[in-house]
Amino acid sequence: MTGARDRRDLPLAALPLLLGVHQIVEAVVWDSGGGSGPATLVWAVIALPLPAVWVPAVWVPAVWVPAAVRCAAPPDARRRLAFLLALGVATAAGLAAGIATGPVTAAILGHTVGYSVHLSHPTVLVAGYLLATVGSPLLSGDRGLLALGAVVAAGAAVCFALWRLEFVSTWCAFAAVWSVLLLGWLRRRPDAAHSP
């Protein structure tokens, strides 16, 4: 977050901190052998609605990744990002409902952790989640964010393929790489990147 030169970049700059907390939580889930304990629930809250949703002080959904990208995007791109923001809110509501009605469980699957959350329309929610979180940087109108979006899209596909094979859990390493790329983007930003 210290690399942010403009307050509009702070929500994006905070994302690596959230990803780091998430990695610590998953280590606790892994160490406990999975199950349905508090760490599993915290993992699900961070992994599912939170990246699609920004929770400012209380659990009232307002979209995190799409909102953060919209904040950092050039003024002329913010209008087209409003749809992805609304999509993120709707997706987050569905994901949060699945978590709230439970159960949320985790199981060690080979060299990965598999999580189970009962979702009413999983295909629709996953599609909405990916469109909101990956689509936002791709439509941001900022070259650096577009590159980050391309990395996120490719990384999501690779992580999913490796997870399905139960080969190795790669999302933590991917989150670290993305965080370093985000830091580089923040450092290259001019002091006054956009108008208020």
Side-chain angles (χ1 to χ4, degrees):
M1 287 185 5
T2 59
R5 294 182 180 147
D6 188 311
R7 63 185 169 84
R8 289 185 172 273
D9 296 340
L10 286 175
L12 269 178
L15 199 50
L17 180 62
L18 177 65
L19 294 173
V21 168
H22 199 232
Q23 290 174 8
I24 291 167
V25 170
E26 185 160 70
V28 172
V29 171
W30 187 273
D31 190 53
S32 66
S36 59
T40 301
L41 183 60
V42 170
W43 182 93
V45 168
I46 295 172
L48 299 176
L50 204 51
V53 176
W54 185 6
V55 182
V58 295
W59 280 56
V60 178
V63 180
W64 189 322
V65 171
V69 169
R70 190 167 184 263
C71 282
D76 60 333
R78 293 184 194 139
R79 174 175 255 163
R80 73 173 167 260
L81 293 171
F83 169 75
L84 294 174
L85 185 64
L87 179 63
V89 169
T91 299
L95 294 170
I99 291 170
T101 58
V104 179
T105 60
I108 306 302
L109 306 171
H111 299 288
T112 66
V113 180
Y115 295 88
S116 176
V117 178
H118 177 72
L119 299 175
S120 59
H121 296 86
T123 304
V124 172
L125 290 173
V126 168
Y129 179 89
L130 290 173
L131 283 171
T133 58
V134 177
S136 295
L138 292 174
L139 295 176
S140 68
D142 179 283
R143 225 181 266 198
L145 287 177
L146 180 112
L148 284 169
V151 168
V152 168
V158 168
C159 288
F160 178 75
L162 291 174
W163 177 82
R164 294 278 295 177
L165 295 171
E166 297 176 7
F167 175 67
V168 67
S169 181
T170 55
W171 89 262
C172 294
F174 172 70
V177 167
W178 189 84
S179 295
V180 169
L181 293 173
L182 179 63
L183 178 62
W185 174 79
L186 285 166
R187 288 190 173 166
R188 285 188 301 275
R189 299 270 283 169
D191 287 340
H194 28 65
S195 60

